[in-house]
Amino acid sequence: LTSQQYSVKSFAMSFIKHLVMRLTKPTLFTNMPVTCEDRDLPGDLFGRLMKEDPSTIKGAEALMLGEMLTLPQNFGNIFLGETFSSYISVHNDSTQEVKDILVKADLQTSSQRLNLSASNNTVTELKPESCIDDVIHHEVKEIGTHILVCAVSYTTQAGEKLYFRKFFKFQVLKPLDVKTKFYNAETDEVFLEAQIQNITTSPMFMEKVSLEPSMMYNVTELNTVETGDEGTSTFGKMSYLQPMDTRQYLYCLKPKSEFAEKAGVIKGVTVIGKLDIVWKTNLGEKGRLQTSQLQRMAPGYGDVRLSLEMIPDTVNLEEPFDITCKITNCSERTMDLVLEMCNTRSIHWCGVSGRQLGKVSPSASLSLPLKLLSSVQGLQSISGLRLTDTFLKRTYEYDDIAQVCVVCPYMSRES
């Protein structure tokens, strides 16, 4: 680590100098190569000058990156999720010994004040030309204005108690812009799309982007392609995110069995989980962000929910096929259901319409196998199911439940 001076404050009225420096890593030196063809007027002059330049890479002088490191020339940017490190030095530049020295470092944010001092113990004495050093670290968790407050108190040989403090203000910026979208499947599965944009001025190496689900869900990452025994990232081997570039991550969440069986549990606003993002910049400086708990509004199914457990993708024209429906009582009362099947222009139900399904308790469900056929080719929508609650004389209609592709099993040949 190299140190970058943030501010140096000396006090003529006091015995002590107070030095605060930010600790940060250097950057790779860059130069601007100038080249020309041999037949141009300078000839090989530029080439010889670049070869003699000690900052260029031998054998690759035309590259902008060099072999040397550059010490930071300014305070630099601090981003949310990074670790802020600072070196604090208190030096006695007088000819007298001072006693009872207490150095304290606090960080003031918009919402709290944090004590960053490694030790709050008083130093018994500080001899001339001696110093007290301290290195503080803090993982930045808030954006906006931060103020580092450094305070020093001590006692002179004459018994006079002196005290001074200085303020060092800096801004914490947001490194990433995170947007989320939810997609509800016909089943209880939920798909989460996370769009992550690098809004800094330097590239990032995305070390990890994961979703920590809540206790109600299991999560499956959909950001790899299975090739043999190992999965390959959809973003390639080099997981770099250039400035202002956006990357999309996809996750599939499925309710755990103990919650999926209870229809009344997944209603209204439900907590999905939170994103955990880890990245590295420059020479391996790590940053980490965790989003707040992501929430979504669960779709409303009314009193009775009808979903499909099994349906074929493709069926033959005018040939019966089977489907399995799942009927769930989402209300808080017991229902006595009757099933009616209404034919449409292309879909014809096979079986008895108006049959009793029996009583269904709250949050309970039942599986219902049905048989039907299609008289029209193409992509056909399954419609025409009606459920009637005999207790309240209320009918629930279900159309466009799913779609099925109907094909002709034979082709006529012209002689």
Side-chain angles (χ1 to χ4, degrees):
L1 290 178
T2 61
S3 61
Q4 169 191 346
Q5 185 168 327
Y6 178 84
S7 178
V8 179
K9 300 292 182 181
S10 62
F11 307 93
M13 59 175 292
S14 65
F15 294 85
I16 289 180
K17 277 186 178 179
H18 189 202
L19 174 66
V20 176
M21 308 170 73
R22 181 191 174 192
L23 297 180
T24 184
K25 291 188 177 182
T27 57
L28 292 172
F29 177 79
T30 58
N31 52 30
M32 186 61 68
V34 179
T35 60
C36 67
E37 296 183 2
D38 294 338
R39 61 186 180 183
D40 291 338
L41 183 61
D44 63 343
L45 175 62
F46 293 147
R48 286 188 286 106
L49 290 176
M50 287 192 297
K51 289 181 179 180
E52 296 173 359
D53 189 345
S55 65
T56 59
I57 301 176
K58 303 306 177 185
E61 291 80 6
L63 290 178
M64 291 185 63
L65 289 180
E67 293 183 326
M68 293 187 175
L69 298 176
T70 304
L71 294 178
Q73 302 302 308
N74 50 44
F75 184 71
N77 294 323
I78 299 179
F79 294 101
L80 183 68
E82 294 182 344
T83 299
F84 169 70
S85 300
S86 182
Y87 167 67
I88 299 175
S89 180
V90 177
H91 184 261
N92 182 3
D93 61 348
S94 70
T95 58
Q96 302 179 17
E97 182 180 293
V98 294
K99 299 179 180 180
D100 302 330
I101 306 96
L102 178 61
V103 182
K104 188 177 181 182
D106 293 341
L107 185 64
Q108 178 71 54
T109 69
S110 59
S111 63
Q112 57 184 336
R113 188 183 182 103
L114 304 169
N115 181 18
L116 303 184
S117 299
S119 174
N120 292 321
N121 298 327
T122 301
V123 180
T124 306
E125 60 183 21
L126 184 62
K127 296 181 179 181
E129 300 302 324
S130 299
C131 61
I132 300 173
D133 299 324
D134 190 13
V135 177
I136 58 175
H137 304 280
H138 174 66
E139 184 180 348
V140 183
K141 298 181 179 180
E142 296 182 39
I143 60 175
T145 303
H146 286 56
I147 302 175
L148 181 63
V149 184
C150 298
V152 180
S153 63
Y154 59 96
T155 304
T156 66
Q157 285 186 342
E160 182 182 5
K161 293 185 178 181
L162 298 179
Y163 171 84
F164 66 88
R165 63 177 180 174
K166 285 297 172 180
F167 304 89
F168 307 96
K169 183 184 293 187
F170 59 91
Q171 294 289 331
V172 174
L173 308 176
K174 187 170 69 168
L176 299 171
D177 186 24
V178 182
K179 298 179 181 179
T180 57
K181 295 180 181 179
F182 291 103
Y183 302 92
N184 298 311
E186 293 182 356
T187 59
D188 289 328
E189 292 179 337
V190 180
F191 291 90
L192 169 65
E193 177 190 347
Q195 298 181 359
I196 300 177
Q197 184 181 23
N198 176 11
I199 56 177
T200 69
T201 57
S202 59
M204 289 182 176
F205 172 75
M206 306 304 293
E207 185 174 283
K208 183 181 75 169
V209 179
S210 62
L211 177 64
E212 299 178 0
S214 64
M215 58 178 295
M216 296 177 61
Y217 293 92
N218 292 319
V219 64
T220 302
E221 293 193 12
L222 304 178
N223 304 308
T224 56
V225 178
E226 298 297 331
T227 55
D229 297 334
E230 298 181 356
T232 304
S233 173
T234 55
F235 308 111
K237 296 181 179 180
M238 306 301 289
S239 186
Y240 286 98
L241 192 59
Q242 297 295 332
M244 304 312 295
D245 279 2
T246 302
R247 183 173 290 178
Q248 294 168 304
Y249 294 85
L250 186 62
Y251 303 90
C252 176
L253 297 107
K254 190 173 183 179
K256 295 180 180 179
S257 56
E258 58 267 29
F259 296 103
E261 294 173 356
K262 300 178 182 179
V265 173
I266 309 178
K267 281 187 176 181
V269 178
T270 57
V271 175
I272 295 296
K274 56 185 178 180
L275 288 170
D276 187 14
I277 307 171
V278 180
W279 70 92
K280 290 182 179 179
T281 59
N282 292 335
L283 296 180
E285 295 175 296
K286 181 176 288 189
R288 181 181 182 184
L289 280 181
Q290 279 192 332
T291 65
S292 57
Q293 291 287 350
L294 304 176
Q295 296 181 338
R296 71 152 186 142
M297 179 64 71
Y301 299 109
D303 294 338
V304 184
R305 179 186 178 186
L306 188 143
S307 58
L308 286 178
E309 291 186 328
M310 188 276 295
I311 181 173
D313 296 328
T314 305
V315 299
N316 292 332
L317 180 68
E318 296 181 349
E319 290 186 8
F321 61 93
D322 297 318
I323 65 172
T324 302
C325 299
K326 182 180 180 181
I327 299 174
T328 305
N329 183 359
C330 300
S331 68
E332 298 179 354
R333 55 184 175 81
T334 301
M335 292 184 173
D336 187 16
L337 299 177
V338 175
L339 174 66
E340 296 182 5
M341 300 180 292
C342 305
N343 294 334
T344 63
R345 183 183 64 88
S346 58
I347 296 296
H348 305 274
W349 296 93
C350 304
V352 179
S353 179
R355 59 170 166 155
Q356 295 278 346
L357 299 181
K359 296 180 180 180
V360 182
S361 302
S363 300
S365 59
L366 57 89
S367 293
L368 184 63
L370 297 173
K371 189 181 292 291
L372 64 160
L373 62 85
S374 175
S375 59
V376 180
Q377 284 183 247
L379 191 63
Q380 303 300 327
S381 179
I382 297 177
S383 303
L385 288 181
R386 306 290 183 263
L387 290 173
T388 302
D389 181 12
T390 58
F391 289 154
L392 297 182
K393 306 298 183 183
R394 185 178 297 171
T395 301
Y396 304 92
E397 300 181 355
Y398 299 94
D399 295 318
D400 298 323
I401 304 169
Q403 292 180 327
V404 65
C405 181
V406 182
V407 297
C408 185
Y410 54 86
M411 295 180 61
S412 59
R413 296 182 179 180
E414 297 181 359
S415 56

